[in-house]
Amino acid sequence: QVQLVESGGGLVQPGGSLRLSCAVSGSIFNINAMGWYRQAAGKQRELVATITSGDSTILADSVKGRFTISRDNAKNTVYLQMSTLKPEDTAVYYCKADAKRYNYSPTLTYWGKGTLVTVSS
């Protein structure tokens, strides 16, 4: 069974910073793309950032210049460094990983349960 566990969320003032982590555990052959999505109250889930196994990244326009995504393949962990946070960044942040459990198995998408980030004074 594959599990994704996010950590690092919390309450931060506008202009502040937070670092989210997401560790993938379980029986895994390899992990391809990893990413962060967020869902604000009353809104649809949206892409924040993704990173491939080759460290190519995509960031949403709304977070470019403020957020950075990175990964540690040895630890099966992806990070989201968030800076200059704004109230509109308030959301539940979800981690996603596209992974193969075995060499012969298809690549499946796995999701974490989310971590809440609240930006407020």
Side-chain angles (χ1 to χ4, degrees):
Q1 190 172 356
V2 177
Q3 288 188 320
L4 279 65
V5 179
E6 302 103 333
S7 61
L11 173 64
V12 63
Q13 292 187 340
S17 298
L18 278 177
R19 188 193 195 205
L20 305 183
S21 300
C22 172
V24 182
S25 64
S27 176
I28 301 169
F29 175 71
N30 70 356
I31 302 173
N32 297 323
M34 304 181 80
W36 291 95
Y37 290 70
R38 68 186 180 186
Q39 187 168 15
K43 295 187 177 181
Q44 290 188 335
R45 190 173 299 189
E46 63 177 5
L47 169 70
V48 177
T50 63
I51 183 168
T52 68
S53 57
D55 287 338
S56 295
T57 62
I58 295 175
L59 289 128
D61 287 343
S62 59
V63 305
K64 283 180 180 177
R66 301 188 298 121
F67 291 10
T68 303
I69 187 170
S70 61
R71 63 191 284 172
D72 184 335
N73 292 326
K75 296 181 179 180
N76 288 341
T77 299
V78 62
Y79 305 97
L80 186 68
Q81 178 66 48
M82 306 184 293
S83 304
T84 319
L85 283 160
K86 305 175 181 180
E88 50 264 43
D89 294 318
T90 295
V92 177
Y93 284 70
Y94 296 91
C95 172
K96 191 190 86 166
D98 297 328
K100 298 179 68 170
R101 294 196 63 190
Y102 309 100
N103 184 25
Y104 52 82
S105 62
T107 299
L108 299 179
T109 296
Y110 299 90
W111 290 91
K113 294 183 178 180
T115 184
L116 177 62
V117 172
T118 303
V119 185
S120 175
S121 55

